[in-house]
Amino acid sequence: MNQDPNFWTQWLPASLELHTLQWATLLAAAALLGYVLQRHWHIPKVVGYALVGSGAGLLGLGHTLWPVQGGILLLLQLTMSVVLFECGGRITLRWFRHNPMVLVQSLLEAGLTYGAVFWSLRALGLEPTTACALGLIAMAASPVVLARVVQDMRASGHVTDRALVLATLSTFYALMLGCVQVQWLAQDAAAPWWQGIWPAAQVLLSSAAVALVLCAVMRLALSWMSPLSESTSLLLLCLIAAGTAIAELIGGWAPLTALLAGMLLKQWQLRPWTWPRQLGTASSLLSLLMFVLVSAIAAQVAWTASMAAAVVVLIVVRLLAKAVGVGLGNMGSGASWHQAVWVAGAMMPMSAVALLLTLKFIAAAPDAAQALIATAMPAIWVLELAGAIAVALSLRRAGETEAPARVPVAQSPRSGD
């Protein structure tokens, strides 16, 4: 469709663009495949979304999205912001006061992941700048994938909560350290390292300031609006979108802003607060679009023989490091070793956050762009698909998912949703 657009435009109305038809068809196919996989094989819908996006990327549609910029980049940031805000709202800081080993566990698994990936890639001959960036990208487990799989499988329990917290915290660390690393990479190579501290601090402070204002406005709205109202849901979604735009405008980082805002609102909201049900449809549509985009972008990068070893090492070492970190931090954390195994399995995915970090590093270090793209993109593609399946298996083996519905469609049309 991309190679001969003139053939198609003669059949389309003047008001309908080719790309509009392509994406409408693509999203419809993703929604259909996701439904079929979940209903008939009990596989999370996100796997279907990623498969359709991967097919589009392999067929060439991903090339039209690269380089990621403009409206596509804004859409990815908005979608990630919505999901990260929700994930931030799940974290209760009081939990760490009563069970500090959970925080220790998160630091161990994130730190070990960074260190193991960095030194493994250095042993393969990658430059320190590239290995450092890939270590930070690998550090972040994907709360975006995890949250979507939890929603699809209606999972709840100790393993689900622990995995969401650890994935969100690892993302928080990666975004924070990524801000610092990006500013150091962007400065003159001859400049001393400490000159990058203030630009990095400006990004962090700008993100925190917007998050604080966003949290204050949301708390004010929730103090007199019903959390179950559709108007409240629309207001929260618009505020997150506005916060995303403002954070980028003043030099902050939109995903970090949304994550901080969700965490702050969880601590400061006087009444019990949960993510409004009315945002489910909007959030699902944004998630569908995001997973298709991420898969299409990641799949369009061809594997090269010279970087295949680095991709395999990154994936394997990352999985082992996260498993070891979760295991070491499990002592005294209140979880059994059986549960720790499934928590480690749920930490496998990489997705949109890793893609955004990759884009940031590519822009800050053009000299390392080729190696970053050739290593990070295939790893994101593999771990988005395999990671979603690993999360589903882990939660199912932990016994925290609902039993698959077996009621015929005629009797219960919504049983497969």
Side-chain angles (χ1 to χ4, degrees):
M1 293 183 73
N2 291 319
Q3 293 178 356
D4 189 11
N6 293 327
F7 173 79
W8 297 96
T9 52
Q10 64 180 324
W11 304 101
L12 299 176
S15 59
L16 182 63
E17 296 184 358
L18 176 60
H19 290 300
T20 303
L21 177 62
Q22 286 178 325
W23 280 102
T25 305
L26 195 64
L27 295 179
L32 178 61
L33 181 59
Y35 175 85
V36 170
L37 289 179
Q38 185 184 39
R39 177 158 188 86
H40 296 286
W41 288 285
H42 314 302
I43 298 174
K45 295 177 184 177
V46 62
V47 176
Y49 304 162
L51 284 173
V52 171
S54 299
L58 293 173
L59 292 175
L61 186 58
H63 293 285
T64 65
L65 304 173
W66 189 265
V68 184
Q69 57 188 353
I72 299 298
L73 180 58
L74 180 62
L75 188 60
L76 281 173
Q77 290 176 335
L78 173 60
T79 306
M80 280 189 292
S81 297
V82 171
V83 180
L84 289 178
F85 177 83
E86 179 185 4
C87 292
R90 293 174 178 266
I91 295 180
T92 304
L93 298 182
R94 292 186 297 272
W95 187 17
F96 303 135
R97 186 173 63 218
H98 297 296
N99 190 356
M101 284 305 298
V102 176
L103 186 58
V104 173
Q105 190 177 36
S106 74
L107 291 170
L108 281 173
E109 71 88 8
L112 284 175
T113 301
Y114 171 78
V117 171
F118 174 81
W119 289 112
S120 298
L121 295 179
R122 286 289 292 133
L124 289 179
L126 270 67
E127 294 296 325
T129 298
T130 305
C132 181
L134 290 171
L136 288 174
I137 292 168
M139 178 191 293
S142 178
V144 178
V145 173
L146 187 54
R148 183 64 202 186
V149 174
V150 168
Q151 179 182 345
D152 288 347
M153 303 185 69
R154 298 181 176 91
S156 62
H158 187 89
V159 172
T160 302
D161 293 339
R162 181 68 61 91
L164 282 169
V165 168
L166 293 182
T168 303
L169 288 176
S170 69
T171 298
F172 178 64
Y173 305 147
L175 291 175
M176 292 264 306
L177 295 175
C179 289
V180 178
Q181 182 67 16
V182 164
Q183 296 305 319
W184 282 345
L185 292 175
Q187 70 177 359
D188 189 357
W193 65 269
W194 51 265
Q195 288 189 4
I197 294 178
W198 175 239
Q202 287 181 310
V203 176
L204 297 176
L205 290 173
S206 299
S207 301
V210 176
L212 186 62
V213 174
L214 185 60
C215 173
V217 174
M218 287 183 170
R219 183 183 177 188
L220 179 63
L222 290 172
S223 66
W224 60 276
M225 295 180 70
S226 170
L228 301 179
S229 171
E230 181 180 358
S231 299
T232 306
S233 303
L234 294 175
L235 175 63
L236 293 181
L237 184 60
C238 292
L239 287 175
I240 295 172
T244 298
I246 294 173
E248 294 291 328
L249 183 64
I250 67 174
W253 213 347
L256 181 59
T257 298
L259 182 56
L260 287 171
M263 295 172 65
L264 290 173
L265 185 62
K266 179 66 173 181
Q267 315 315 312
W268 290 355
Q269 176 62 15
L270 299 179
R271 296 187 297 174
W273 177 80
T274 57
W275 190 243
R277 290 179 305 170
Q278 289 80 2
L279 271 180
T281 302
S283 180
S284 297
L285 178 59
L286 289 174
S287 297
L288 165 63
L289 182 55
M290 180 190 63
F291 286 119
V292 172
L293 281 173
V294 172
S295 300
I297 293 168
Q300 56 92 24
V301 177
W303 289 59
T304 61
S306 59
M307 298 305 296
V311 175
V312 174
V313 167
L314 186 151
I315 292 173
V316 174
V317 170
R318 178 181 181 271
L319 297 180
L320 292 175
K322 286 194 172 294
V324 172
V326 170
L328 290 176
N330 190 64
M331 295 179 290
S333 67
S336 66
W337 290 106
H338 175 79
Q339 291 173 324
V341 171
W342 305 126
V343 170
M347 300 295 289
M348 182 178 178
M350 284 172 57
S351 185
V353 174
L355 175 62
L356 180 61
L357 286 169
T358 303
L359 297 176
K360 287 286 187 180
F361 288 131
I362 290 171
D367 294 340
Q370 183 175 359
L372 283 172
I373 293 172
T375 307
M377 292 298 190
I380 292 170
W381 180 36
V382 171
L383 290 176
E384 184 180 54
L385 280 167
I389 296 173
V391 171
L393 291 175
S394 298
L395 298 180
R396 187 171 290 125
R397 295 291 294 175
E400 298 188 358
T401 62
E402 290 187 359
R406 300 184 181 277
V407 182
V409 177
Q411 297 180 21
S412 179
R414 298 182 59 186
S415 60
D417 289 345

